[in-house]
Amino acid sequence: MRTPDLMPWPDAKPPEPALCGEDERATVLAAYGFDELEDDPELCEIVKFAAELCDAPTVLVSIVERERQRFIAREGLEDRETPRPTSFCAHAMLQTEPMEVPDARLDERFEKNPLVLGHPHVRFYAGAPLVSGEGAPIGALCVIDTKPRSGGLTDMQRSGLKVLAASVMRRLRHRRETLAQEETEQQNDRDLRELVDLIPQITFSMTSDGTFDFFNKGWFDFTRAKPPKTSEDWRGFIHPDDHEPAFTDWYKAVENGESFQAQFRVQNAAGDWRWMLSRVNPIGSDTSGQRWFGTLTDIDDAHREAETNEILSRELSHRIKNIFAVVAGLISLSSRGQPEVAGFAEELNGKITALGRAHDFVRPIDGAKGENLGGLLQELMAPYGTGAKARAKVSGTDITIGVRAATPLALVFHELATNSAKYGALSAAEGAVAIDIMSEGGDAIVTWTETGGPMPEEPSHRGFGSRLVELSVEGQLQGTLSRNWRPEGLEVTLQIPLSAIAG
C-alpha cells in the first residue's frame, strides 16, 4: 500500500480496488476529521468559484460514507447530507475522469432517484472524483443544475473542475497531515509521560507565568495530594524550618532566569518529613516564554546517614585531637630530667603540634572546614605572625586540598619553618619567608623563598628532618623537591600533582 497522502493519487487512474470496500474506506475517511472541515472557508471559496466557472446553481464537496453522503462545503443547497443510495457522487468517485450526466431523467442509473423525482430536482450532474493519496475513493466535487445540458460541460469547465477537485484534495490532504502530526505529537507526549512516570524522582514543570502545569506520578505516589499551582502553594508541603533560604533563593533564581538547587524536607502521605534534593532549570527564552523543569529526589536516607557519619567524624576528630595532646604530654613527661633529649623532645612536640594544626584545618571539631592549600599554610605559619605582622606570607592560587594530603604537607612546611627559625630567615629579626602557590599543567608548584636572614650553607649531610621532608614529598605526595642555597636565602621548590593534593 502507498504511504498515505505524501503525494496525490495519479491523475486519470482509477481508485485502488483493495481500498474500495466500505470498511477500508471508513478507515481512510476517519483520518481526515471531516467534522472540523464543515463549511471550511477554503473549500467554500472553491465551490463558489466552481459555481461561477460552470454557471451552475449548486456545487458541493461531497464525502460519501457508508450510510450517507455529506456536504462539507455547499453552494446553492441547504441540505447538509442525503442518503447514500441516492448518491450520484458514489458513482463519480470511482471514475478516472469527471462523470457527466446530461439529463438524469434519461439515465437508467438515476431516472428513479428521489433526488431527480423530487427536491432538489437534479437534471444535470458533473462530478470530479476525490481520491485519497493511497487510492481510496472518498467523494466528489460536483456541480448540479435543475436544467439538463445536452452538451455537458465545456472543455474549459471540465478542465477547471478537475483543477478545483485537485485543490479540494490538497486542502483535505493538509488537514489529514495536520491531524496525523497532532496524533504523533500526542502519542509522543503520552509516551513521554509514561516514561517520566517511570523515573524514581518527582518531576514537574512551570510555565513562564509561574504556574506549575505538570507533575508526574511520583508526586501523587509520594504525597497523595493535589499538586501546587504556584510557588507559594509549595509552603504547605515544605517543612516550615526549611522555608528560608529555599524560597528566597527560588524567587531570585526565577527573577534572574538561573538554575535552582536546594535541600529541604517535604511531607509525604504518611505525614513524615523526608529530605529532598530539588533541582530546577530554565529552558528556552524565546517569545513563547521561559519554562522551568525540575526534579525532587528523595535523599532522606543518605541525609540521615551523612548526619550520623558527621557525628562519628566529629567524635573521631575529637579523640584524635586528644591523642595528639596525650602524646605531646607523654613526650614532655618522659623528657623531664633528661636534658640530653630535651632538644629532640621539643622538636618532636613541634611536629605533633603541626599535625594537630593540619588536622584541625581539614577535620575541625567546630567552625568551617578548610579546603585550600593556602589556608592550611597560613594556619601552619600562624606562630610566626599573622596579618600585617606575618613574617611568613602566603600568596598565589587557591588549590583544593584533601584530608590525606594535609598530614604530609604539614610535616614538610613545619620542618621548613623550624629550620628557618633555627638557621635561616626566621632566626633574624628582619628575616621573612614568602610562600607562593601556582598551578601549572597538572601540578601544584609551591615556592618557599627566604630573605633577610643569615647566608645559608648547604649541610654536609642530611638529617632526620630532611629525610622526612623528602619521604613526605616524594613518597606520599608523589612529587619532587629542590633546594637552592642562594646568598639571599634558601629557596625551596615543591612540584606536586594536583590529584595528590586533592586526594
Side-chain angles (χ1 to χ4, degrees):
M1 184 182 294
R2 289 162 51 94
T3 302
D5 284 344
L6 291 180
M7 58 188 299
W9 185 253
D11 187 35
K13 179 180 178 180
E16 179 67 43
L19 294 177
C20 290
E22 291 307 312
D23 291 339
E24 292 76 15
R25 290 183 59 253
T27 300
V28 175
L29 293 177
Y32 287 95
F34 288 119
D35 289 344
E36 300 298 324
L37 281 171
E38 285 195 355
D39 299 325
D40 177 76
E42 185 174 341
L43 294 178
C44 289
E45 289 296 322
I46 291 173
V47 297
K48 285 181 181 179
F49 184 73
E52 294 179 8
L53 174 67
C54 297
D55 191 23
T58 303
V59 179
L60 308 169
V61 174
S62 174
I63 306 300
V64 180
E65 299 177 349
R66 188 188 301 267
E67 303 293 339
R68 63 174 179 170
Q69 66 174 354
R70 63 190 299 188
F71 312 127
I72 59 175
R74 302 161 295 143
E75 179 69 20
L77 183 69
E78 292 297 323
D79 299 331
R80 288 190 174 273
E81 62 180 66
T82 58
R84 166 68 182 270
T86 66
S87 174
F88 283 61
C89 295
H91 297 269
M93 71 182 183
L94 300 175
Q95 308 302 312
T96 59
E97 295 290 336
M99 183 185 84
E100 295 185 50
V101 180
D103 189 342
R105 295 172 300 179
L106 304 179
D107 191 310
E108 62 181 9
R109 295 172 296 177
F110 307 110
E111 60 184 355
K112 296 181 180 180
N113 190 303
L115 301 181
V116 176
L117 299 177
H119 174 78
H121 303 288
V122 177
R123 296 294 179 265
F124 173 72
Y125 172 92
L130 302 176
V131 183
S132 73
E134 63 266 69
I138 61 176
L141 170 64
C142 66
V143 297
I144 298 172
D145 200 344
T146 57
K147 299 176 182 179
R149 298 188 186 185
S150 59
L153 297 176
T154 66
D155 289 342
M156 185 182 72
Q157 290 172 333
R158 189 176 299 106
S159 296
L161 190 64
K162 290 175 64 176
V163 170
L164 293 175
S167 297
V168 170
M169 282 310 305
R170 280 195 296 272
R171 176 67 184 105
L172 299 186
R173 186 163 55 250
H174 179 266
R175 169 64 179 169
R176 182 175 179 182
E177 290 170 352
T178 299
L179 289 178
Q181 182 178 355
E182 290 175 354
E183 174 57 29
T184 299
E185 292 174 354
Q186 291 171 4
Q187 184 60 51
N188 289 341
D189 185 60
R190 289 191 293 269
D191 292 345
L192 179 60
R193 285 175 179 265
E194 289 182 9
L195 177 62
V196 170
D197 282 340
L198 294 176
I199 297 175
Q201 290 93 344
I202 294 172
T203 62
F204 56 89
S205 65
M206 186 185 81
T207 61
S208 58
D209 66 357
T211 300
F212 289 86
D213 62 344
F214 171 77
F215 283 82
N216 73 336
K217 185 173 177 288
W219 171 268
F220 301 96
D221 291 343
F222 185 81
T223 66
R224 303 294 181 188
K226 184 178 179 181
K229 277 292 185 182
T230 68
S231 296
E232 284 300 304
D233 293 340
W234 281 85
R235 292 186 184 271
F237 296 97
I238 297 175
H239 195 289
D241 293 346
D242 301 333
H243 284 184
E244 298 299 334
F247 277 93
T248 298
D249 292 347
W250 165 246
Y251 284 118
K252 181 179 177 181
V254 172
E255 181 180 357
N256 297 330
E258 300 171 343
S259 297
F260 168 81
Q261 178 170 311
Q263 295 182 20
F264 44 75
R265 286 163 287 181
V266 177
Q267 193 170 40
N268 64 14
D272 300 323
W273 294 99
R274 294 188 65 82
W275 282 99
M276 308 290 278
L277 170 64
S278 176
R279 288 192 177 101
V280 189
N281 287 325
I283 304 294
S285 57
D286 55 19
T287 55
S288 63
Q290 195 170 58
R291 287 183 60 82
W292 298 74
F293 294 90
T295 60
L296 286 174
T297 304
D298 190 329
I299 59 169
D300 194 75
D301 294 340
H303 193 279
R304 295 184 190 279
E305 182 179 353
E307 286 184 334
T308 301
N309 290 340
E310 180 64 21
I311 293 173
L312 293 175
S313 178
R314 294 170 76 88
E315 178 62 22
L316 180 60
S317 181
H318 181 76
R319 291 176 183 245
I320 291 174
K321 190 174 179 67
N322 286 342
I323 290 174
F324 284 143
V326 169
V327 172
L330 289 174
I331 292 172
S332 297
L333 184 63
S334 299
S335 64
R336 286 181 185 177
Q338 301 183 59
E340 67 276 12
V341 299
F344 175 76
E346 182 180 355
E347 183 177 341
L348 188 57
N349 267 336
K351 288 181 172 58
I352 292 173
T353 300
L355 291 177
R357 285 179 175 273
H359 177 77
D360 282 346
F361 183 77
V362 295
R363 292 283 194 188
I365 294 178
D366 297 301
K369 176 180 181 294
E371 295 181 344
N372 63 77
L373 178 58
L376 172 63
L377 295 182
Q378 288 177 346
E379 183 71 19
L380 293 172
M381 296 299 113
Y384 305 98
T386 59
K389 296 182 179 180
R391 299 183 62 195
K393 295 185 178 181
V394 181
S395 63
T397 306
D398 283 341
I399 294 177
T400 301
I401 184 173
V403 175
R404 285 183 293 179
T407 298
L409 285 169
L411 289 174
V412 169
F413 285 96
H414 169 74
E415 186 66 25
L416 291 175
T418 299
N419 287 338
S420 180
K422 287 181 178 180
Y423 314 112
L426 295 180
S427 67
E430 301 300 322
V433 176
I435 307 174
D436 182 65
I437 305 169
M438 64 179 294
S439 176
E440 185 176 286
D443 296 333
I445 299 175
V446 185
T447 305
W448 170 285
T449 305
E450 299 186 21
T451 55
M455 182 179 297
E457 295 182 7
E458 184 174 357
S460 57
H461 69 282
R462 293 185 305 156
F464 171 75
S466 296
R467 292 196 298 273
L468 180 63
V469 166
E470 292 173 3
L471 180 63
S472 298
V473 174
E474 298 174 2
Q476 292 179 272
L477 297 173
Q478 304 166 8
T480 60
L481 178 146
S482 62
R483 296 180 177 89
N484 183 11
W485 306 91
R486 307 175 309 143
E488 303 95 313
L490 174 65
E491 182 180 78
V492 180
T493 302
L494 288 80
Q495 186 167 349
I496 303 170
L498 292 172
S499 58
I501 291 182

